[in-house]
Amino acid sequence: GQNIDQPTEMTATEGAIVQINCTYQTSGFNGLFWYQQHAGEAPTFLSYNVLDGLEEKGRFSSFLSRSKGYSYLPLKELQMKDSASYLCAVLDSNYQLIWGAGTKLIIKP
Amino acid sequence: SQTIHQWPATLVQPVGSPLSLECTVEGTSNPNLYWYRQAAGRGLQLLFYSVGIGQISSEVPQNLSASRPQDRQFILSSKKLLLSDSGFYLCAWSEVAEDTGELFFGEGSRLTVL
């Protein structure tokens, strides 16, 4: 079966650094996405990785290791507005997106 | 620029009543269109996707159906709602020619079935 694993919830302090992890087991791999979703709102695109390494995109970089089936989203200088759920999704061999359940990030002042 | 809208944003329906959620996309032609459902604590569940007018693929057997009467219109329907149909429904689109599969989501529709 296909599986995407992310921690259910994380807590961090404003101004700190946090790393949200995602591990996957899918039938094929054509890329990995990170989306941000504020409570009650639709997900919005953050980043996309298809090659190994760090994809830098402003505040929302993302790292991928295809051999380990692993990605992480490093968030620096956390702001209160970063409180949201972060969704990891993998594009499988059929170009279908397989979604993780999301990681709810709680930021405290 | 491309935009996507879905409505209604919120609705409360009794068990056994019908459902119609609508989604329209502007600023692009022949998009791939999707209906997802998001339950609390679970990943997004793909319900239907469409690659063209009248072409609907169903991912999950259920009492829901979808239709694409026009190129940029996607409708999610039910003849008789169940309690288990409650959830957050998201319409999305992607470029046909874009293999990265990036999705652009509508605002979402929160359905409560009582």
Side-chain angles (χ1 to χ4, degrees):
Chain A
Q2 311 208 83
N3 197 45
I4 310 286
D5 284 318
Q6 309 177 233
T8 302
E9 188 175 292
M10 299 179 70
T11 303
T13 305
E14 190 176 15
I17 299 170
V18 73
Q19 178 174 299
I20 302 177
N21 297 325
C22 171
T23 57
Y24 62 89
Q25 293 175 316
T26 56
S27 56
F29 178 86
N30 281 302
L32 184 145
F33 292 83
W34 284 98
Y35 283 79
Q36 180 190 59
Q37 186 178 24
H38 286 99
E41 298 181 9
T44 55
F45 170 80
L46 289 180
S47 67
Y48 169 72
N49 295 71
V50 66
L51 300 175
D52 290 346
L54 187 67
E55 186 73 26
E56 299 201 62
K57 188 179 179 185
R59 292 187 64 232
F60 297 106
S61 301
S62 54
F63 174 85
L64 173 69
S65 169
R66 288 172 296 173
S67 62
K68 296 181 180 179
Y70 168 67
S71 172
Y72 67 78
L73 187 71
L75 300 177
K76 305 176 182 178
E77 299 178 356
L78 287 171
Q79 303 172 19
M80 296 304 293
K81 67 179 181 180
D82 295 327
S83 291
S85 288
Y86 291 85
L87 313 181
C88 175
V90 171
L91 204 58
D92 71 7
S93 57
N94 295 318
Y95 289 92
Q96 296 294 320
L97 270 176
I98 311 301
W99 293 85
T103 299
K104 182 178 180 181
L105 178 61
I106 300 169
I107 298 173
K108 297 182 177 180
Chain B
S1 63
Q2 299 93 349
T3 59
I4 177 170
H5 296 291
Q6 65 176 100
W7 66 94
T10 306
L11 64 166
V12 180
Q13 297 283 107
V15 170
S17 64
L19 170 74
S20 180
L21 300 179
E22 293 194 34
C23 173
T24 59
V25 181
E26 298 293 334
T28 187
S29 295
N30 195 31
N32 289 332
L33 295 173
Y34 308 82
W35 277 111
Y36 281 92
R37 177 168 58 202
Q38 187 175 36
R42 301 183 65 179
L44 288 170
Q45 179 187 33
L46 180 62
L47 301 176
F48 301 95
Y49 71 93
S50 171
V51 299
I53 296 175
Q55 299 179 60
I56 310 294
S57 296
S58 174
E59 293 296 304
V60 182
Q62 61 221 324
N63 67 319
L64 299 172
S65 62
S67 62
R68 185 170 179 173
Q70 299 181 44
D71 180 45
R72 291 169 292 177
Q73 183 184 23
F74 206 23
I75 298 172
L76 182 69
S77 304
S78 174
K79 293 182 179 178
K80 288 186 177 182
L81 284 168
L82 306 173
L83 286 174
S84 57
D85 291 325
S86 294
F88 191 50
Y89 289 82
L90 290 158
C91 180
W93 73 274
S94 67
E95 293 280 4
V96 172
E98 180 58 69
D99 284 341
T100 64
E102 179 182 348
L103 292 175
F104 302 90
F105 289 90
E107 304 93 333
S109 299
R110 184 161 300 282
L111 170 65
T112 303
V113 182
L114 301 176

